Amino acid sequence: MTPAPDFQDPDDLRLVSRNLNGHYPWLDPAEPVPHAHVLYAAAVRDETPAATVARLAALGYAEIQQSGAPLPGSVGMEDASLVRRDDHVQPWIDVSRPVSLCQLLETAEQAGRSAADVGRRLTALGYRIGGSGPLPESPDPRDVMLTRTDARGDGEWLDWGDEVTAGHVLEAADYVSCSPHAAAVRLASLGLKLPYTPEADDELLLAAGHTAAARWFGRYKEPPLGHVLDVARRTGRRPADLVDRLKVLGFAGPGGSVPETPEDEDFVILSANLDGCRPWLVRNTVVGLRMEHILRASLVTGRGPAEITARLTELGHWLHGNAKLPETADEADIRLLDTVDRSYRDNVHLEHVLRSASLTGRSPADVAARLTELGHTLPDEVEYPDVRGALAAS
């Protein structure tokens, strides 16, 4: 433990205290005084760094950490604050080693200044910046988290010239709530190496919607085929080229054949509301398509359920093997299936039948019989009443 100096002048005590507050811990006269300590003390004392060095020498602190560059003629608090870190172990940026990208971005965020401006000022103060390329002239508080390898865990920080994966771009964009294209552009501007060159059309290709909760496709939400075909229609690009671009951006393919020239009705049957617009039908790889979507699509297009199913299967969707397609679509079947919250992988039990009967006004026996005909499994040995509920009947 460094003993308290025997000084009477409170200003001198502040100068030799590590936190420049006149209290323990104290600078050790046997160790070099950090370069940043000199700069910050000069700004606090409103004197030149050279004058601060001279006063430290007079107080017995003759060894000053060298930056390899002349001391600046003057330093104000705005610049001096750039070299201070919120770290009890290492409160200053160390001038003996190049400034890391993380240190520079954290400093820029705390100061509300651009990375380029902070880089210039630190260089003027005698620091070496680890990177050599131009930095963004606009401030962005998201820069720090964009460069963390695992924003949700114990990730490390990317440094100058590191290679960034496409997956990192998607995950970082999701974490900071910006488009993957914007994240890619920003990461490239920070001197990091991307596996691809960002393109203007990426913004449109990855735009999922207009709500804050679902604005961009990303790590946990992939673009459905309907969206890809819609972007191709709007931009004039080949759907296959867009699928290839998505793979470059870190996404898997849509899972089915990609039509070179989509049919007009493809947009209809691939849209969740069967209106040819977003939201687009999302491929369910676990339980497959819902039967009622096929039946609704059949009524809207005039094509049979089997034909609709065949086309959707071509486009990467699938109907569970237990499902039994009716020859024709019926509104009554659609209303019934809308009341069933069980997939074809699940058993339909008595409580589910009674709920559907109550919501449709049909008898439990009728509901049970029709669900069985449509492929649902009803394992319970129950004699369902052939009478409609009083409320439903009225």
Side-chain angles (χ1 to χ4, degrees):
M1 180 183 295
T2 305
D6 187 18
F7 301 150
Q8 300 300 318
D9 190 336
D11 284 344
D12 288 341
L13 286 173
R14 279 193 291 271
L15 177 59
V16 300
S17 60
R18 291 189 181 274
N19 297 319
L20 293 165
N21 59 3
H23 301 289
Y24 176 87
W26 309 100
L27 295 175
D28 187 343
E31 296 180 358
V33 177
H35 176 74
H37 184 97
V38 171
L39 299 180
Y40 200 87
V44 169
R45 292 162 63 89
D46 194 24
E47 62 185 11
T48 67
T52 301
V53 169
R55 185 55 188 165
L56 284 166
L59 295 173
Y61 298 83
E63 190 174 356
I64 307 296
Q65 188 182 37
Q66 299 299 312
S67 68
L71 285 170
S74 62
V75 58
M77 280 303 302
E78 187 177 67
D79 281 348
S81 63
L82 299 179
V83 302
R84 189 158 198 163
R85 302 180 66 225
D86 187 17
D87 187 331
H88 295 298
V89 177
Q90 188 177 357
W92 309 107
I93 295 180
D94 187 358
V95 78
S96 67
R97 61 185 65 183
V99 178
S100 70
L101 179 60
C102 176
Q103 286 178 327
L104 187 141
L105 296 181
E106 285 181 334
T107 301
E109 179 185 7
Q110 292 166 4
R113 297 163 71 170
S114 73
D117 183 30
V118 169
R120 285 190 293 268
R121 297 313 305 154
L122 287 176
T123 300
L125 294 174
Y127 287 83
R128 291 172 295 139
I129 304 302
S132 58
L135 289 166
E137 293 288 351
S138 59
D140 193 329
R142 299 174 297 190
D143 286 345
V144 175
M145 295 312 299
L146 280 176
T147 58
R148 188 174 182 180
T149 55
D150 182 3
R152 292 175 172 81
D154 299 324
E156 298 178 352
W157 305 102
L158 296 169
D159 209 350
W160 308 102
D162 281 352
E163 294 186 358
V164 180
T165 65
H168 173 82
V169 175
L170 296 178
E171 189 164 350
D174 179 68
Y175 188 79
V176 302
S177 300
C178 73
S179 78
H181 174 65
V185 170
R186 191 68 181 184
L187 285 166
S189 73
L190 293 172
L192 298 167
K193 297 176 182 177
L194 270 65
Y196 57 83
T197 301
E199 297 177 358
D201 279 352
D202 293 345
E203 191 84 357
L204 180 61
L205 186 57
L206 300 181
H210 303 296
T211 63
R215 192 172 179 187
W216 308 105
F217 295 109
R219 188 71 163 174
Y220 308 103
K221 183 179 181 182
E222 296 201 347
L225 179 59
H227 170 77
V228 175
L229 298 181
D230 183 46
V231 173
R233 177 173 58 179
R234 293 159 64 185
T235 62
R237 296 181 63 178
R238 294 177 61 244
D241 290 342
L242 293 178
V243 170
D244 290 342
R245 181 61 182 172
L246 284 172
K247 291 177 181 178
V248 169
L249 296 174
F251 294 91
S257 63
V258 181
E260 180 69 23
T261 306
E263 304 169 10
D264 288 341
E265 287 184 349
D266 286 343
F267 294 99
V268 175
I269 65 176
L270 287 172
S271 59
N273 298 323
L274 297 164
D275 56 2
C277 304
R278 64 167 51 144
W280 301 103
L281 193 63
V282 176
R283 191 165 63 100
N284 191 317
T285 59
V286 179
V287 298
L289 283 164
R290 289 189 65 86
M291 175 84 77
E292 55 265 40
H293 180 83
I294 293 172
L295 300 183
R296 284 196 178 95
S298 176
L299 292 177
V300 169
T301 63
R303 297 161 68 174
E307 189 180 354
I308 294 292
T309 302
R311 183 56 178 167
L312 284 172
T313 301
E314 258 185 275
L315 298 174
H317 295 271
W318 61 287
L319 184 61
H320 197 277
N322 291 346
K324 297 177 182 177
L325 273 175
E327 290 187 9
T328 58
D330 189 319
E331 288 281 4
D333 284 341
I334 295 172
R335 287 194 297 272
L336 173 60
L337 291 170
D338 273 340
T339 68
V340 180
D341 58 1
R342 311 290 286 172
S343 76
Y344 278 101
R345 295 183 57 184
D346 305 317
N347 290 329
V348 177
H349 295 289
L350 173 61
E351 63 268 25
H352 308 120
V353 172
L354 295 179
R355 178 177 182 272
S356 294
S358 174
L359 292 172
T360 60
R362 298 166 70 162
S363 72
D366 185 23
V367 167
R370 189 55 182 163
L371 288 178
T372 301
E373 291 169 357
L374 294 173
H376 282 284
T377 303
L378 282 68
D380 302 329
E381 295 184 5
V382 176
E383 187 173 339
Y384 294 100
D386 194 16
V387 179
R388 293 187 298 166
L391 290 178
S394 62

